[in-house]
Amino acid sequence: VTPGLADLVTPALVLDLDVLEANIGRMAERFAALPAELRPHVKAHKSSRIARLQCDAGAIGVTAATTAEALAMVAAGVGDVLIANQIVSEPQLARLASAAAEARIAVAVDDAVQVEAASRAGRRAGAIVGIVIEVDVGMGRAGARSPAEAVSLAELAARLPGVDLRGVMGYEGHCTDEPDRARRTVAATAAVEILAAAAAELERASLPCGIVSAGGTGTYDVTGACPGVTEVQAGTYAIMDEFHRAVTPEFGSALTVLATVTSLHGSLVVLDAGRKAIAADLAAPRVVGREAHVEFVHEEHSGFRVDGSGLRIGDRVSLAPGYAPSAVNLHAAYNVVRNGTLVDTWPVEARYSSAPTALA
Ligand SMILES: Cc1ncc(COP(=O)(O)O)c(C=O)c1O
């Protein structure tokens, strides 16, 4: 007998295929009407199955945060990966350079040290590693701090062997969760103007700048409409979480964690899914389909106030995680559901590992 949803041991990561497909379809429709292309970030879902559905719907490739994510995508046949992050260790760059023989791979840089390291790796592998200059657009994390700094890195990337200058990227992460749409639009537009100014400087210096990449789920439509932006890195929209639902309610909660009621005290419902199953950063989890107020999220438990719930010990409850990228990374696999029926299991790929051979 094939195991069903009721046979799952909780807490279990669940992915609703109908909602996932609807989200991917909706985003593809939006991008059909926007000047920019979609290059979804895979850091949230860490799944080449989901990445391939996104590419089949028109995405031009994927964005990744880590070497392991990028390699998992290439191994599954995704042909174009942008690592929106600085990769500086030699073993990681060597693996990326050898993957660059079978796929188009680019890494983001904000220092000459990273460009030189990528160049060495590319030369050794006899391959070309793409270079995208990261520009700080106001978040204050990584990125060149001025157009002049971006141009000088671009000149180096254009000059060195083993690398190929592809363009610029920036991430307006300081704007993506602004709940007021008008304010979010103003802030994201101002951030993207910083990136566009750097791109214009590269062009003035006759440096190639085919890629101008930015944006996330919270800003996809604003950033995707900004003049000069060629691609958008939004990714969580496919599976969703509470953090992103606050700003983009047009996407459905495809990702949930199935939990069991383990203890009941008046209106307090205690579940077997705590921080080790749903994580607990950036936003609180939500009980799906019930009015519930989160009381606590502990290591192995979460507690919700639910009036007149009729719940009993042993009942199952679905939780929508607060922040999908953290929740997914805690699980080895998705239980894939269609129409309420368990239909498949998909691995969560490229999870963090401290094994000596791991590449994180
Ligand atoms: C570099 C980068 N690009 C894009 C995103 C947006 O991803 P999402 O669509 O999941 O919000 C993030 C999120 O942290 C990011 O760090």
Side-chain angles (χ1 to χ4, degrees):
V1 188
T2 341
L5 256 189
D7 302 308
L8 291 181
V9 172
T10 63
L13 196 67
V14 172
L15 182 66
D16 187 314
L17 210 44
D18 298 305
V19 181
L20 174 80
E21 288 171 354
N23 289 344
I24 290 173
R26 174 166 290 126
M27 191 60 117
E29 241 170 60
R30 301 297 299 268
F31 269 87
L34 286 168
E37 306 281 357
L38 177 64
R39 183 193 283 278
H41 210 312
V42 301
K43 74 187 168 67
H45 59 63
K46 287 180 175 278
S47 162
S48 59
R49 298 290 295 261
I50 298 176
R52 291 209 339 243
L53 291 176
Q54 291 172 307
C55 291
D56 289 348
I60 58 165
V62 300
T63 306
T66 67
T67 303
E69 283 171 5
L71 295 175
M73 296 301 136
V74 173
V78 176
D80 194 334
V81 182
L82 165 64
I83 303 178
N85 209 346
Q86 286 68 55
I87 305 297
V88 299
S89 93
E90 246 184 53
Q92 289 179 323
L93 284 167
R95 290 288 297 277
L96 287 174
S98 64
E102 48 179 308
R104 219 173 132 75
I105 292 189
V107 292
V109 301
D110 68 355
D111 195 288
V113 168
Q114 302 138 5
V115 187
E116 284 155 4
S119 166
R120 275 195 305 276
R123 250 181 330 163
R124 272 190 206 134
I128 297 291
V129 177
I131 297 289
V132 170
I133 313 299
E134 181 162 356
V135 176
D136 175 31
V137 295
M139 192 187 186
R141 188 168 66 183
R145 269 20 188 195
S146 69
E149 212 178 302
V151 167
S152 112
L153 287 169
E155 280 168 346
L156 179 65
R159 199 168 63 234
L160 289 181
V163 287
D164 178 29
L165 176 64
R166 305 246 167 100
V168 295
M169 71 146 276
Y171 176 54
E172 68 281 21
H174 56 299
C175 317
T176 46
D177 62 337
E178 165 57 56
D180 182 272
R181 193 180 153 76
R183 277 216 292 262
R184 190 160 77 248
T185 302
V186 169
T189 305
V192 173
E193 275 166 10
I194 297 172
L195 184 65
E201 282 298 308
L202 258 66
E203 270 157 25
R204 212 163 292 137
S206 300
L207 292 160
C209 194
I211 293 179
V212 179
S213 179
T217 296
T219 55
Y220 74 93
D221 48 351
V222 178
T223 299
C226 281
V229 171
T230 64
E231 50 185 70
V232 170
Q233 302 178 2
T236 301
Y237 77 89
I239 57 175
M240 285 304 282
D241 58 29
E242 293 308 286
F243 177 75
H244 289 87
R245 204 168 71 96
V247 285
T248 52
E250 63 267 39
F251 299 107
S253 304
L255 182 79
T256 53
V257 170
L258 188 66
T260 299
V261 178
T262 50
S263 183
L264 279 172
H265 300 278
S267 64
L268 181 69
V269 177
V270 181
L271 305 175
D272 63 352
R275 289 196 303 271
K276 285 179 171 171
I278 51 173
D281 53 344
L282 295 178
R286 173 175 58 95
V287 176
V288 177
R290 289 176 187 275
E291 276 298 319
H293 169 77
V294 61
E295 189 92 350
F296 56 80
V297 181
H298 293 171
E299 189 177 339
E300 306 286 359
H301 310 78
S302 53
F304 296 86
R305 290 281 170 196
V306 193
D307 286 327
S309 73
L311 284 166
R312 299 201 316 207
I313 288 174
D315 284 350
R316 300 290 180 91
V317 168
S318 287
L319 292 177
Y323 194 61
S326 311
V328 168
N329 193 51
L330 297 169
H331 295 262
Y334 292 97
N335 294 285
V336 183
V337 167
R338 191 184 287 286
N339 258 332
T341 303
L342 188 60
V343 292
D344 210 345
T345 305
W346 293 354
V348 174
E349 294 154 82
R351 294 170 65 209
Y352 271 31
S353 160
S354 295
T357 52
L359 290 164

